[in-house]
Amino acid sequence: MTALTETNNAALLERAERVMPGGVLASFTTPADVAFVVREAHGSTIINEDGRPYVDYVMGSGPLILGHRHPRVVEAIERQLASGTHYYTLNKPAIELAETLVEAIPCAELVKFTSTGAEATFQALRIARAATGRDNIMRFRAGYHGAHDYGVAGATAGIAAGVTDRVLVGEFNDIENTVAQIRENADQLAAVIVEPFQRNIAPAPGFLEALREITRLTGVVLIFDEVVTGFRLGWGGAQGRYGVSPDLATYGKIIGGGLPLGAVAGSRRLMDLASPGHKGGDAVYFSSTLNGNPLAAAAGLATLEVLREPGVYDALESAGARLRIALADAVGDSPKPIFITGVGAMVGLNVGSGDPLLAATHHSSDAAARKKLETEMIRRGAFVNLGARLYVSTEHSDSDIQAAADALRGAVATLV
Ligand code: PMP
């Protein structure tokens, strides 16, 4: 057996390359000179196989809002571990998590678990088709709803033409055109699915309200994809924050506390279509082996219990705001225009200029320069997800925020 040595990182990267396409797990990939394999993580720190620590702003791509290995989450997992890892049938953590979701989520009368966010959006779209008897769905340019066919139609090879034809694409925050598009296509439109805060773009005043209004008028199911925003933008997620309630909402990430778990939540009328007891032409098949896995439910439940304690969301809001200010300060001398977006414990770094509420501003931003900046930040010890967001956790301290700002300041100096 090879001993763990200082060269472990490079050796493991090479082994991954031999047995995995592109040598990566998902789509996340970094230039070879900053790539690393994780040995361990705690709090806001992630450590590579050579022992180098980074301040982690990827945070598992969002789930770890309490940081890595939060003691309450670890304890909940250990407690459940002693009773078994999986049963494929009802268990107390899953029931308690469902109860908590119904209590917290404005649109939730019933919830049904999945293992991933993609599975949740896929099933929500299916419920919408069954409920309306219509086939088409609408999503928004550059939004993301997971890797299933309807989520990435038009953005990947391997999608049947019939599927792509069923997906209409709107422009986020363009109220007039979106309302017109929904109205014109309503007789075939089952659902509009939207990230209420799309990637780095905040919803423009009135946009979510307009979506709610026109979908209600036309009988289209409105789905908020809260896989990212759920329990991040506050206890009630984006629905609570913006005061707009959809028909269905989808979850992942935080509700599994770092283990695989997602959910669809919504009105009793719609969710009951997925009950095995529901009979008829609109009955929806919705099942998967690991749904409501007790270990993931226990981790999610422990996470939500900490989040609901007084002051936790205030602290997250404050940390996010301080990070935005520190990063904005760090880009002061940039040779290219950079603007910082985000809300609460979610921060966006954008290279470009223009109205941050206009989707066009983001579509025309300089993706290559942004990737360079983010790569340079990783080189300087701030681990960020290229092209995505910086996720803040309860564990990020002032010095972590300073480290990100310093990394960005150094990265900006490399832009020409
Ligand atoms: N919806 C949104 C808004 C997401 O950001 C993601 C993943 N980042 C998904 C759905 C898909 O979730 P998963 O990766 O768990 O399938």
Side-chain angles (χ1 to χ4, degrees), residues 15 29 53 57 70 89 109 120 153 160 168 216 223 225 268 349 351 401:
R15 282 167 62 184
T29 173
Y57 284 100
H70 188 282
T89 190
E109 289 179 315
L168 273 71
R216 186 179 284 125
I223 305 170
D225 181 349
R268 181 172 296 276
L349 177 65
V351 181
I401 290 172

Side-chain angles (χ1 to χ4, degrees), residues 233-251:
L233 299 202
W235 183 247
Q239 297 167 49
R241 189 165 193 122
Y242 300 119
V244 178
S245 201
D247 302 302
L248 294 174
T250 54
Y251 293 82

Side-chain angles (χ1 to χ4, degrees), residues 154-234:
T156 173
I159 308 285
V163 172
T164 310
D165 296 346
R166 296 281 168 210
V167 181
L168 273 71
V169 180
E171 189 80 347
F172 190 76
N173 276 348
D174 183 338
I175 297 179
E176 204 175 313
N177 280 321
T178 301
V179 168
Q181 227 175 329
I182 294 171
R183 200 186 300 274
E184 277 159 29
N185 293 283
D187 61 339
Q188 290 195 66
L189 196 56
V192 172
I193 185 165
V194 64
E195 289 176 84
F197 192 112
Q198 183 179 291
R199 308 285 94 189
N200 286 342
I201 321 175
F207 179 66
L208 298 176
E209 290 82 350
L211 283 183
R212 178 63 287 181
E213 174 76 6
I214 186 66
T215 50
R216 186 179 284 125
L217 284 172
T218 50
V220 174
V221 175
L222 179 62
I223 305 170
F224 276 6
D225 181 349
E226 296 234 40
V227 168
V228 166
T229 54
F231 295 93
R232 179 166 291 276
L233 299 202

